[in-house]
Amino acid sequence: MQRPDMKPIAAAFLLAPMIAAPAMAASPKALPASNRQVQVVPAPAWVVPPPTPTEQADLPTAAMRFVYVDNQAFAGPAGLESYSAYRIRLLKPEALALGTITLSWLPDAGSARLHALRLIRDGKVTDLTANAKFEVIQRESNLEASMLDGRLTAVYQVPGLQVGDEIEIAQTVTIKDPTLPEHRSGLAILPQGGVPGAFRTRIAWPEGAAIRWQATKDVEVAEPSLVGANRVLSVELRDPAAPEEPVVGAPPRYSIHRLIEFTDFARWPELSARLWPLYDKTSRPAPGSPILAEAAKIAAATSDPTRRAEMALRLVQDRIRYVYVGLDTGNMTPASVDETWTRRFADCKGKTVLLIAILRELGIAAEPMLVNSNGGDGLGLRLPNPGLFDHVIVRATIAGKPWLLDGTRLGDRALDLLPVGAWREGLPLREGGGELEKLPTPSPVHPQAVNLLDIDATAGIDQPALVTARRILRGNDAASLAAWFATVPADQAQRAIKEYWRGEEPWIEGDKASWKLDEDSGILTLTLTGEGELGDPDEAKTENGSVDVPASGLTAPSRLRRPRSQDQTLPWVTAYPSFNCWATTLRLPPPPANQRWDLSGEPFDKLMGGVGYWRRLSLADNVVRTVMSRRFQVPEISAAQATELNGQLASYDGSAATLSLRQTFKGAAKWPQQPQPFSDATDWTQGGTPCAPAQNAKPSAAGQ
């Protein structure tokens, strides 16, 4: 999702006053001509001179040196004015690319102003400010991801630049979001590396403004002081050392360093209530709207609320394509449902209000919920700020259960097959305001992917076997991949499928590859047929001809260790909600006289470090069947659970099952008969596939 931001120098500092949620806008209104050009004006009165340079020597391997980086912001009546100045010394030829000066801004929310641009060579200053001719372009850098935000970029090439020169620039970009014109909030990230130079962050606001702020514990900053009519928060780092290394394996919230944040929202419910009218108004269809007719069709088709919700979700996902256009007020405001229906495209906000409108007509309660697409770990530790969210979904209560529905996904056909979301916290938008909520993190029920191998070795295990390999995907991954397959030549799609299976099962020599999408179920199947030789062809055959059964072993997890210098009590993050399943059918010839097939390997069902490792296997009627899965059941585990995991590793044996021929004689031990974990008739595209213990193969009551 697109986030408007300002990155004067990404390596040194980021000030993101309004990291706005993605949106779909109405037609752009006329803008002042000055907003579309770089304005050359003096620096604002609230700006103070830059910090003095430091004495530390240049790093011998560095291509450039920051003399200073000065970022100042004023949260005042004109909006959030972000002043950025820096002086940089070019030490090596590869730094000459820094002579491409770029300014970036959103013209519907503010302007770009240049205060100074100088070239310094051997102590002589050449002032380029007045004569610098910036080329202004509207460069949609995320067009391939169906994202348009109207951002303008001004570009200027400093002429005659040489190694040893210094560039000094000062600029201000103003943002006053039309949808939240009275509010100010932002984040400032101080240098994240150890580099010589002077780095200052200064945030000011009018005395009496209800601005709250906080900083991470590694930022030493005094209480804001009164300077004239403004309160000023200022911190300066001189030749800073690198911050602490991220704690190995810890959740992201423990790796946030050198951060200052500020906001004038007192509490999360205030932000929720402030945004709610934008969604409520745009989710109301006009009388006689075709949306009402679509809802009526669903109502006539079924009275089951679950089925109604599934049909509504499919309508929004399939018939409204995703496009983000952050123009005009669209950075925060959804397009109206009727406008979306006419256009047949929308972003997450437009899709959200359309889904809410249809569900409302069907008698299903639903509300918008802001989330962060990266999970949002630790949002509750931050100050209320709309820029912390980049996505919005629907929370609906269906047949008494809460469900999280995402209209921007593709291929969701059944509620009980919805994947577990990665969102950790969310903010419901309500008329009276909603608190930031922890979202449920149930153990995933359905595998994200199932890999199936059917191996016909009836000609003998020492002969090339006929192999059919299938990968089954559902939901968004399936729909996105199928859309790509549909746009490329057939031979290119076949090559991609063969390449995938070559990485998974390199022993298979693929002959034919194909793909098939079932529109009704949203299931995509990638199929490869070919042949392969069981066992390692470079190894000498053993006397009993033993071979490992392909895709029947699960590697042990790695030992969880941190450097002694790091906090050993912090939790460990997992790959939740990853859930993958593998099943193999190996068809054998009848054994020779006085011999029998023997399968070595034990079933297991072990929980280690919040991850379920599970396997079942059988040998009956000359057919081997194995099925196994790895399921991450929780987002993170405690330090004590990590210690327990380390202690379990010695006893874990997830090695592949081994097939061999054994001599038969009276009293010889036989492979213990095990129930077949699946059969040739098993439908792996449905829910309830035999990929996990039966007692866990039921949807969570929380729905998501």
Side-chain angles (χ1 to χ4, degrees), residues 31-32 35-37 105-111 138 149-152:
L31 299 172
N35 277 24
R36 303 193 67 86
Q37 299 295 326
W105 74 101
L106 293 168
D108 60 313
S111 60
Q138 184 168 332
D149 62 8
R151 179 177 294 275
L152 296 180

Side-chain angles (χ1 to χ4, degrees), residues 4 77 130 154 156 208 297 299 329 374 393 422 519 560 570 624 637 700:
Y156 174 72
K297 291 178 186 177
T329 61
N374 292 320
I393 58 176
E519 293 287 350
L560 300 182
L570 297 185
V624 174
I637 61 172
S700 163

Side-chain angles (χ1 to χ4, degrees), residues 205-282:
W205 58 89
E207 169 69 359
I211 296 289
R212 296 193 298 138
W213 67 276
Q214 67 180 24
T216 51
K217 62 182 180 181
D218 57 353
V219 177
E220 295 183 8
V221 56
E223 286 293 323
S225 59
L226 185 62
V227 180
N230 300 326
R231 284 285 168 185
V232 176
L233 179 71
S234 183
V235 59
E236 183 175 333
L237 302 181
R238 301 182 65 79
D239 301 327
E244 293 180 4
E245 288 289 328
V247 178
V248 173
R253 63 183 180 275
Y254 293 103
S255 297
I256 297 176
H257 299 295
R258 292 180 178 170
L259 173 70
I260 301 174
E261 50 187 319
F262 61 94
T263 186
D264 61 3
F265 285 102
R267 298 170 55 245
W268 288 107
E270 181 185 354
L271 173 58
S272 169
R274 178 63 181 81
L275 294 176
W276 174 81
L278 305 179
Y279 286 78
D280 182 65
K281 178 181 179 180
T282 54

Side-chain angles (χ1 to χ4, degrees), residues 222-524:
E223 286 293 323
S225 59
L226 185 62
V227 180
N230 300 326
R231 284 285 168 185
V232 176
L233 179 71
S234 183
V235 59
E236 183 175 333
L237 302 181
R238 301 182 65 79
D239 301 327
E244 293 180 4
E245 288 289 328
V247 178
V248 173
R253 63 183 180 275
Y254 293 103
S255 297
I256 297 176
H257 299 295
R258 292 180 178 170
L259 173 70
I260 301 174
E261 50 187 319
F262 61 94
T263 186
D264 61 3
F265 285 102
R267 298 170 55 245
W268 288 107
E270 181 185 354
L271 173 58
S272 169
R274 178 63 181 81
L275 294 176
W276 174 81
L278 305 179
Y279 286 78
D280 182 65
K281 178 181 179 180
T282 54
S283 69
R284 305 286 177 177
S289 167
I291 296 170
L292 302 177
E294 293 294 331
K297 291 178 186 177
I298 295 175
T302 178
S303 61
D304 178 20
T306 297
R307 185 68 190 123
R308 286 182 170 187
E310 291 169 347
M311 294 175 69
L313 180 60
R314 181 171 184 176
L315 182 150
V316 173
Q317 289 185 349
D318 289 4
R319 297 177 65 180
I320 306 297
R321 64 187 173 95
Y322 175 83
V323 177
Y324 166 79
V325 182
L327 304 172
D328 194 15
T329 61
N331 196 42
M332 299 293 291
T333 306
S336 72
V337 291
D338 288 310
E339 185 173 16
T340 290
W341 189 257
T342 299
R343 291 175 167 181
R344 297 300 172 94
F345 64 82
D347 67 351
C348 63
K349 290 190 297 302
K351 281 174 169 272
T352 288
V353 294
L354 178 58
L355 182 54
I356 288 174
I358 297 172
L359 293 175
R360 182 191 297 124
E361 292 298 318
L362 296 172
I364 297 173
E367 63 183 358
M369 174 172 280
L370 298 181
V371 294
N372 187 290
S373 58
N374 292 320
D377 180 52
L379 276 178
L381 303 175
R382 310 270 68 84
L383 295 177
N385 180 350
L388 296 175
F389 304 99
D390 66 353
H391 193 43
V392 62
I393 58 176
V394 173
R395 179 163 64 182
T397 302
I398 304 166
K401 298 179 182 179
W403 294 88
L404 301 180
L405 310 177
D406 188 347
T408 67
R409 286 175 48 83
L410 294 170
D412 293 331
R413 297 294 182 257
L415 292 186
D416 62 359
L417 294 180
L418 288 179
V420 175
W423 314 298
R424 302 292 301 277
E425 296 180 85
L427 181 67
L429 304 185
R430 296 171 181 162
E431 184 175 12
E435 289 284 0
L436 188 71
E437 297 182 17
K438 292 278 189 183
L439 297 180
T441 54
S443 177
V445 174
H446 306 289
Q448 297 164 330
V450 180
N451 278 11
L452 306 173
L453 293 179
D454 193 308
I455 305 167
D456 183 353
T458 53
I461 62 172
D462 58 347
Q463 299 297 315
L466 301 178
V467 184
T468 298
R470 290 185 295 151
R471 179 170 175 83
I472 295 175
L473 299 167
R474 62 165 52 90
N476 199 63
D477 290 343
S480 299
L481 191 54
W484 182 80
F485 283 144
T487 61
V488 301
D491 60 339
Q492 185 176 347
Q494 292 169 10
R495 285 197 302 270
I497 296 170
K498 288 181 179 180
E499 186 64 27
Y500 165 76
W501 280 110
R502 189 175 296 115
E504 289 293 306
E505 302 292 342
W507 60 278
I508 302 176
E509 287 292 334
D511 179 26
K512 296 181 180 179
S514 63
W515 64 276
K516 180 180 180 181
L517 177 68
D518 186 304
E519 293 287 350
D520 290 332
S521 65
I523 295 292
L524 175 67

Side-chain angles (χ1 to χ4, degrees), residues 171 501 559 653:
Q171 59 162 310
W501 280 110
R559 185 174 296 275
D653 181 9

Side-chain angles (χ1 to χ4, degrees), residues 154-166:
V155 182
Y156 174 72
Q157 302 289 345
V158 176
L161 202 60
Q162 301 177 15
V163 172
D165 289 350
E166 295 183 5

